[in-house]
Amino acid sequence: MLAIIGGSGLTTLSNLDVSHREVVRTPYGEASGALVFGQICGRPAVFLPRHGYGHTIPPHMVNYRANLWALHHHQVSGIISVASVGSIRPDLQPGDIVLPDQIIDYTWGRKSTFFDGVGSPVTHIDFTEPYDAALARRIAEAAAALGIGVAVGAVYAATQGPRLESAAEINRLERDGADVVGMTGMPEAALARELGVPYAAINVVANHAAGRGSSANGIRFDSLEHVLQEAMGRVKAIIERVVGC
Ligand code: HPA
């Protein structure tokens, strides 16, 4: 059973034929919401909206550990994370779909590991390749089969939020080698790795990052809504194909 964590612009999965919902009790507190179980064209899938059903949980307040623990508890075979991003690389435009292959973590103060229990052995997971290559390849192949253009390979910078970045911060991220910027990619990816769950991301470019392109004079999120909604239609088609429709 594949899991989908939806971000801004994907708070419900309309192609999921819902069978039941379950509030999972976790040792880490409450997940962002009930897990929604169902089928996508006959294949089992489970959906979790990262920011809650009313989109009320900001990126730095998401209980990433509870979310990942709950999905792992249900023995999901993989997790596709959908998240919107700002583009730093000039060729990435609003509405573009990006499959990142690397992460730089600029977040702070988040509960970012399962391995902090008193008395549990110190554990250092390998994170050389932060996304699961096989799952990412399945996503890229699904997009190709559908003729949907995606940018394969990008460095995702995870910032703390909830505010957007300054132009100078974006310049720094670019110097660091980042291509896109978002607020939720970490610690989600690392926690999935700690649990041994294959995890890959589909990023949708919502805007040019601060000081770039049409964002040179400021970013207005309300004007991005229609771009995200159109792109999420393509993302849903890709997910259907990955699931096996
Ligand atoms: N910065 C950080 N996170 C984002 C952005 C951005 O410009 N756009 C969408 N998520």
Side-chain angles (χ1 to χ4, degrees), residues 82-86 95-98 202-206 227-228 231-232 235:
V82 181
S84 68
V85 292
D96 284 357
I97 296 174
V98 181
I202 303 178
N203 292 154
V204 177
V205 177
V227 176
L228 270 184
M232 287 304 166
V235 170

Side-chain angles (χ1 to χ4, degrees), residues 8 59 83-87 156-157 159 161-165 170 173 180-184 204-210 215 219 221 224 228:
S8 304
S84 68
V85 292
S87 87
Y156 175 103
T159 56
R163 67 165 177 84
L164 292 159
E165 298 72 35
I170 293 299
L173 300 190
V180 295
V181 54
M183 301 174 188
T184 57
V204 177
V205 177
N207 56 286
H208 293 282
S215 300
I219 299 168
F221 256 68
L224 311 172
L228 270 184

